[in-house]
Amino acid sequence: SSNGHIGILGSGLIGRSWAMIFASAGYKVIIYDIVAEQVTSALEDIKKQLLTCAKDGTIRGKLPAEQQVSLIEGTHVLEKVVENAVFLQECIPERLDLKHELYRNVDVIINKQTILSSSTSTFLPSVLSKDLTCKSQFIVSHPVNPPYYVPLVEVVPAPWTDSKVLETTLSLMKTIGQSPVKLNREVPGFALNRIQYAIINECFNLVEDGVVNVEDIDKVMTDGLGMRYAFLGPLETAHLNAEGFKNYCSRYSESMFNVCKTFKPIPKITGPTADNIAEQLEKITPIDKLPDKRIWRDLSLMKLSQLKKNN
Ligand code: NAD
């Protein structure tokens, strides 16, 4: 309904980003947290961030910053955030006991029309929602950090999620300027982390075998594959690297298979190789410089997102 609001459950890093994204599209947003001071500091932080974005020209949406700020309010009363919400995005810590407890409390007050969506990075929607009366209204919308600049959202239904809930969530994500992908069914790690883990595993094995050092492995991505992947996925890259994907397969599938046969088994990311990687990484970015490096990362991603928008 046009009178309903978006409810954000948990006002930490991810909850704040979701609030800013929904407000940028003109939605009224209520953010909720069990820690009352968290709500206050979230509202202050959001205001500061939006004003800075406006000054830098990186603010999303067409509304002036002040108006976006005024669309967001806070509460520590669960009823207030749940009642009349069209969509609830849960962003509390990645702990099953905490999420289950919150959902139990939401379950008894939620409307039939409200979608309950989780930002979880690791829990399957079936595991999160199996005991809920409202389980057909439950879905996972997994964002990528920082969501304000990285638009991907993995939308993952449980086996019992209503197909209308799936379609509404996908179209809502598009409306607010995110880039949703639909998983037809739940799998551990969803799609992003399965691919990310395959990459980390191979990087780990190459360091373990002494083939390439950490700095150079990361360069393979940042100055090689990553440059393409910001614009073209691996499958379309293949399509373009030959006369279409069929031609790519006939040219390369055999040699690709032969390379892959030399892959080592899945490594446990621990032990002396993990220590060696950590040591090399700490020389590149010392632990006390990580906050600075994160600011640089977010700034770089912001510039990339501008470039992609104009592309
Ligand atoms: P966070 O620790 O920054 O914030 C969590 C917030 O939830 C805190 O403000 C805390 O006070 C509040 N909270 C705790 N229990 C609560 C409850 N019962 N009810 C209401 N609020 C409660 O965490 P985050 O990094 O924002 O992560 C939130 C979720 O998003 C997690 O499920 C995480 O897996 C997922 N996620 C995180 C990232 C990331 O990079 N941080 C990326 C994608 C998805």
Side-chain angles (χ1 to χ4, degrees), residues 253-283:
S253 67
E254 174 120 8
S255 58
M256 202 171 138
F257 190 69
N258 287 333
V259 170
C260 295
K261 276 198 294 205
T262 70
F263 280 0
K264 300 211 303 187
I266 302 162
K268 280 249 167 66
I269 308 290
T270 169
T273 303
D275 295 342
N276 172 15
I277 291 173
E279 203 176 297
Q280 291 188 53
L281 284 170
E282 283 165 33
K283 281 207 186 97

Side-chain angles (χ1 to χ4, degrees), residues 152-172:
L152 184 78
V153 179
E154 295 184 283
V155 179
V156 191
W160 41 75
T161 302
D162 191 320
S163 61
K164 263 209 250 143
V165 167
L166 174 60
E167 291 315 314
T168 305
T169 304
L170 289 166
S171 80
L172 179 63

Side-chain angles (χ1 to χ4, degrees), residues 217-228:
I217 285 268
D218 274 358
K219 229 186 263 178
V220 169
M221 296 302 292
T222 58
D223 288 343
L225 287 174
M227 292 198 68
R228 286 179 183 162

